Amino acid sequence: LTGASCASLGLVSGTLSCTSTCNFNVSSCINGGISFCGNNVLNAPEECDALTWANGVCDACNVTCNSGFTEDSNHVCSGGTTTITSCPIQINNPGTYNLTSNLTSSGTCVTINSNNVTLDCLNYKITGNGTWYGVYANTKNNITVKNCVVTNFSWGILFSTVTNSKVLNNNAYNNTYYGVYLAGSSNNNLTNNTAYNPGGIGIYLMSSSGSNIINSNNLYYNSKGIELNNGPHNNNLTFNNLTNNSANINIVSSNFTL
């Protein structure tokens, strides 16, 4: 501890120790008044109250962000690049997230719970067990999913009520039902994706998904290459390569521009 104590860190009393990563463990320090640093309850004026902190460290209940990350007004560290090494993963903060190896999953692999997220798989593969979603986002804005190989899920990539987002350069194959699925999602760009899902649908839009760009995608050996069903409107489908699908484009109660 090199002479450090709870008191020297500005806390009132208690026993200071070290973590395995050579940070101070203040879980047994008392911070005075109603504020107890280390009790996993955030009391003013604490910035954090945990031994771990996403993309940073929580020392003596103060946040220090890792290099490349910026602390916002809520003491969230964002803006840098985070490596995903296993499934499942919940992305709860803005920023860029990369894969550095192939991953396997027994359920949904990546769930995006924050706006302003980029998931770049760097062409690594995410393999499921025939259930759930490879990548899932619900009610989010400004999401980018790119360079992912997603296989053996029920749904490869699913956006539900997602806006102003991008699905780029992905390969969704051998998924049971859908390669890329948009439900109630608008103003998104799906470009240069490949989907071949025998028995399934390559790209599927439903439930008032509107003003999406579906451009330069390669869709083959699907039951349907592209399907618009139950309300999608004003979607722009251009320069897509649809071959050897049972039906290349299927339209039900929808409108679009080719």
Side-chain angles (χ1 to χ4, degrees):
L1 297 174
T2 62
S5 65
C6 292
S8 72
L9 295 177
L11 305 172
V12 174
S13 61
T15 302
L16 183 67
S17 60
C18 288
T19 68
S20 60
T21 56
C22 294
N23 294 309
F24 289 126
N25 180 344
V26 296
S27 60
S28 296
C29 292
I30 298 175
N31 200 16
I34 62 170
S35 181
F36 293 85
C37 185
N39 68 351
N40 293 316
V41 177
L42 189 64
N43 303 114
E46 297 172 344
E47 296 180 353
C48 56
D49 198 317
L51 294 183
T52 61
W53 197 255
N55 305 315
V57 294
C58 180
D59 280 338
C61 291
N62 294 302
V63 172
T64 301
C65 294
N66 294 338
S67 177
F69 291 84
T70 301
E71 181 180 352
D72 66 16
S73 59
N74 295 315
H75 309 294
V76 172
C77 298
S78 61
T81 299
T82 301
T83 298
I84 296 174
T85 58
S86 64
C87 302
I89 178 72
Q90 300 275 337
I91 296 178
N92 297 319
N93 297 307
T96 298
Y97 295 78
N98 293 344
L99 268 62
T100 56
S101 64
N102 296 326
L103 303 179
T104 58
S105 181
S106 59
T108 297
C109 181
V110 181
T111 302
I112 300 173
N113 298 318
S114 173
N115 299 322
N116 307 313
V117 167
T118 295
L119 170 64
D120 188 349
C121 296
L122 299 174
N123 297 312
Y124 287 105
K125 182 190 298 185
I126 305 173
T127 302
N129 67 345
T131 64
W132 296 100
Y133 320 120
V135 180
Y136 173 66
N138 182 22
T139 322
K140 295 296 172 282
N141 182 70
N142 192 29
I143 305 299
T144 297
V145 177
K146 62 182 182 179
N147 303 320
C148 296
V149 181
V150 183
T151 185
N152 202 36
F153 289 89
S154 293
W155 295 263
I157 299 170
L158 171 58
F159 279 4
S160 178
T161 323
V162 171
T163 56
N164 304 309
S165 297
K166 299 175 181 179
V167 180
L168 309 174
N169 307 317
N170 301 289
N171 186 341
Y173 73 94
N174 288 342
N175 297 291
T176 307
Y177 302 118
Y178 309 99
V180 180
Y181 185 120
L182 268 60
S185 298
S186 299
N187 299 305
N188 301 295
N189 186 334
L190 279 62
T191 295
N192 201 33
N193 300 286
T194 298
Y196 53 99
N197 303 280
I201 299 173
I203 294 177
Y204 186 75
L205 277 65
M206 70 168 296
S207 301
S208 69
S209 293
S211 302
N212 297 291
I213 296 172
I214 314 299
N215 177 64
S216 299
N217 299 285
N218 298 297
L219 308 166
Y220 55 95
Y221 293 111
N222 302 282
S223 65
K224 302 177 184 71
I226 298 174
E227 178 165 313
L228 280 63
N229 197 329
N230 192 28
H233 57 281
N234 301 324
N235 294 287
N236 192 344
L237 281 60
T238 56
F239 303 110
N240 296 287
N241 179 23
L242 299 106
T243 57
N244 295 312
N245 301 289
S246 299
N248 284 327
I249 299 178
N250 191 49
I251 309 297
V252 182
S253 303
S254 307
N255 65 70
F256 65 99
T257 299
L258 286 173

